Amino acid sequence: MKCPDVVIIGSGVGGGAVARQLAPTGARILILERGPRLPAEPENSSAEAVFIQQRYRAKEEWQTEAGRRFTPGQFYYVGGHTRFYGTAMFRFREKDFEEIVFRDGVSPAWPFSYTELEPWYAEAERIFGVHGRAGDDPTEPWRSGPYPHLPIPHEPVIGELAQRMAAIGLRPFHMPSAIDLHPGGTCVRCGTCDAFPCRIRAKGDAETRLIDPALQYPNVSLLTECRVTRLIADDAGKNIIGVEIVRQGEREVIHAPLFVLSAGAINSALLLQRSADSRNPRGLANSSDCVGRYYMNHNTTGLMALMPGVNETRFPKTLSVNDFYFGADDDREPLGNLQMLGKIQEPMIRAKHASIPRWVGRAMAHHSIDMLVMSEDLPHAQSTIRPLANDAVQVNWTRTNQDNHRRFVDRTKKLLRRLGAVAVLSHPFGVETPSHQCGTVRMGADPVHAALDPLCRTYDHPNLYVVDASFFPSSAALNPALTIAAQALRVGDHIARNWFGRERENVRPIEM
Ligand SMILES: Cc1cc2nc3c(=O)[nH]c(=O)nc-3n(C[C@H](O)[C@H](O)[C@H](O)COP(=O)(O)OP(=O)(O)OC[C@H]3O[C@@H](n4cnc5c(N)ncnc54)[C@H](O)[C@@H]3O)c2cc1C
Ligand code: SF4
């Protein structure tokens, strides 16, 4: 596309939602995505291919401050990380938007309330086709309407677990989920959803729900395998005038009047820092020194509860527990969320613990009920993402809120034993698993302490927005995708009105 009106960098939830909002304005929108379209192929649902061969992982190495190198769980495809996500689509709680004081630090307030985002949560749920039932989750925030679809029914083993939880006084609820499983839907409950791509496009991800609908408009184009290496500011260091891209080995500059950076929390922070110039020596949008700081990623531990009976569940992510989200009778600290993991298979165990014989791994996977324990990660000034020479990346994740998380894991293990588990094995996720990365270009009401204003526009550059998980001031203790989508739709609406006059219906989508 020659002379775009707006360039969007990245085709994940953030970039996709902005593109979808802007498409009907008729503005010429160019989306630049470093990855390709992910091919539909048998390996999509092979645990051997996904976990042992790591077929879809980015072939890059990062390092910790201590110099330990690792291959991160990063995925560069159209649709971004949602191609692999577990489809849990939670709204944050009202209190998550306010300051919460933890023993180990502060979860800062957002620059707007839940009420401001509520209509956009509703719109995001509609677009992604979220299933759920209002009124079941004891901590859920108010909502203006019901979920678009009824909750996904539990399979027998999970249904029985929910009943046993209820019998001891817990309030388990149907987890909000974005799979296309309802009359007329295309999901076949295939058994490989969480951490796998969907071969038949039945997962509500950013490719199927945002990018492809946007591309139906003649004014929207997508360039794949096009890596943005730098944003370029004018001589005054104020307005962004272009982006440098590398495509098929060729370097090129694309100019536009408006830019939306949505490369994911880690890559957006890297790109801004790599774009440093004489007027912006710490990087673009970084007069506050926040860019690349306050990295968060949740404290998460996977549990395998080994049960006497066999667990043949295909899609277990139908159950969640929030009874301990803000604490418990005997523990005043906020603990977090419990939710089912996708069904663990033997290759997933082998990928983490190569010494376990395959037959043992198979027996474990056959009998396990698998859960994720998730606690909030707090923003810390020394949690940093820094670009090094030769494209290397340093991730320095200063862990927070660990005591609360450990107590929550212990409590959950006890709970699972009480519910019939013979043993409960645990696996804490570390820096190699940046699935819930956020916070690295944070938003706030005060430009001294934040890089973005409450509508994700950079304080330093009037024509640059950053719209992906990097805008989070806090991480809450719930999965991030729906909140990214809601705020991106809100920002997209603002850009449509303020930059393009929002004549949304003057361009019709191309007939498919
Ligand atoms: C295995 C897994 C399971 C998950 N499960 C859940 C879940 O159940 N529920 C939930 O809410 N969240 C879940 N998440 C997290 C969720 O997927 C992410 O929070 C969300 O997708 C992030 O969206 P984003 O727009 O911030 O960034 P991304 O999805 O990372 O999108 C950024 C895009 O920018 C592209 N890009 C990066 N750098 C460049 C560059 N230099 N030039 C051009 N393009 C670039 C990337 O290829 C990518 O397409 C999961 C994540 C993983 C990995
Ligand atoms: S469970 Fe449904 S949505 Fe998920 S990967 Fe399988 S077919 Fe796709």
Side-chain angles (χ1 to χ4, degrees), residues 76-97:
Y76 299 139
Y77 296 97
V78 175
H81 281 126
T82 57
R83 288 307 319 268
F84 293 83
Y85 86 145
T87 74
M89 287 298 243
F90 278 98
R91 296 179 179 207
F92 285 1
R93 320 289 92 164
E94 284 141 300
K95 273 200 221 164
D96 287 325
F97 291 83

Side-chain angles (χ1 to χ4, degrees), residues 9-16 32-35 73-90 175 194-196 206 226-229 262-265 267-268 271 317 339 434-437 467-470 478-484:
I9 303 161
S11 66
V13 183
L32 305 176
E33 167 55 51
R34 73 186 280 172
Q74 285 282 106
F75 302 92
Y76 299 139
Y77 296 97
V78 175
H81 281 126
T82 57
R83 288 307 319 268
F84 293 83
Y85 86 145
T87 74
M89 287 298 243
F90 278 98
M175 190 159 81
D194 192 4
F196 295 83
C226 167
R227 183 175 175 194
V228 175
T229 49
S262 303
N267 279 299
S268 285
L271 258 174
K317 287 185 80 83
Q339 61 185 259
S435 303
H436 291 183
Q437 57 186 269
V467 193
D468 56 29
S470 55
L478 289 163
N479 318 56
L482 192 75
T483 301
I484 304 169

Side-chain angles (χ1 to χ4, degrees), residues 196-389:
F196 295 83
C198 181
R199 197 172 160 187
I200 57 168
R201 296 172 57 87
K203 192 187 264 197
D205 60 33
E207 184 183 33
T208 57
R209 301 294 174 141
L210 301 173
I211 294 293
D212 287 344
L215 287 172
Q216 288 183 34
Y217 288 80
N219 51 309
V220 184
S221 303
L222 168 69
L223 268 191
T224 57
E225 298 179 75
C226 167
R227 183 175 175 194
V228 175
T229 49
R230 202 160 68 90
L231 287 84
I232 304 164
D234 62 9
D235 289 345
K238 202 70 190 156
N239 278 300
I240 307 303
I241 55 170
V243 287
E244 184 183 83
I245 63 164
V246 176
R247 192 161 189 250
Q248 293 168 343
E250 299 290 320
R251 216 166 267 274
E252 198 186 316
V253 174
I254 297 177
H255 296 277
L258 176 63
F259 295 86
V260 177
L261 175 57
S262 303
I266 289 177
N267 279 299
S268 285
L270 290 170
L271 258 174
L272 291 170
Q273 292 174 88
R274 286 188 176 128
S275 305
D277 59 26
S278 58
R279 303 275 177 176
N280 303 279
R282 286 193 295 220
L284 297 181
N286 201 15
S287 57
S288 63
D289 197 20
C290 287
V291 171
R293 283 195 194 279
Y294 305 110
Y295 169 64
M296 295 171 279
N297 184 35
H298 281 153
N299 291 299
T300 50
T301 299
L303 298 183
M304 284 183 86
L306 303 180
M307 308 300 278
V310 166
N311 180 8
E312 288 180 330
T313 308
R314 297 176 75 75
F315 185 81
K317 287 185 80 83
T318 54
L319 176 72
S320 184
V321 173
N322 270 338
D323 292 82
F324 311 111
Y325 195 82
F326 292 116
D329 290 345
D330 56 352
D331 197 330
R332 304 294 293 275
E333 286 281 296
L335 296 178
N337 163 267
L338 292 180
Q339 61 185 259
M340 305 308 296
L341 277 170
K343 184 71 204 83
I344 288 185
Q345 302 183 27
E346 184 277 328
M348 301 177 185
I349 300 171
R350 195 172 359 121
K352 303 279 183 210
H353 306 281
S355 59
I356 295 180
R358 290 187 190 202
W359 68 270
V360 176
R362 273 196 290 274
M364 286 163 63
H366 214 43
H367 286 270
S368 70
I369 287 183
D370 315 301
M371 290 199 92
L372 185 68
V373 185
M374 192 184 323
S375 309
E376 182 153 353
D377 185 14
L378 303 172
H380 192 293
Q382 299 313 323
S383 280
T384 53
I385 306 296
R386 297 295 183 218
L388 304 175

Side-chain angles (χ1 to χ4, degrees), residues 44-58:
N44 291 168
S45 50
S46 157
E48 199 73 33
V50 172
F51 285 87
I52 302 293
Q53 294 153 16
Q54 302 198 338
R55 183 176 178 82
Y56 302 111
R57 252 186 204 221

Side-chain angles (χ1 to χ4, degrees), residues 151 165 204 471:
M165 285 177 165
F471 66 70

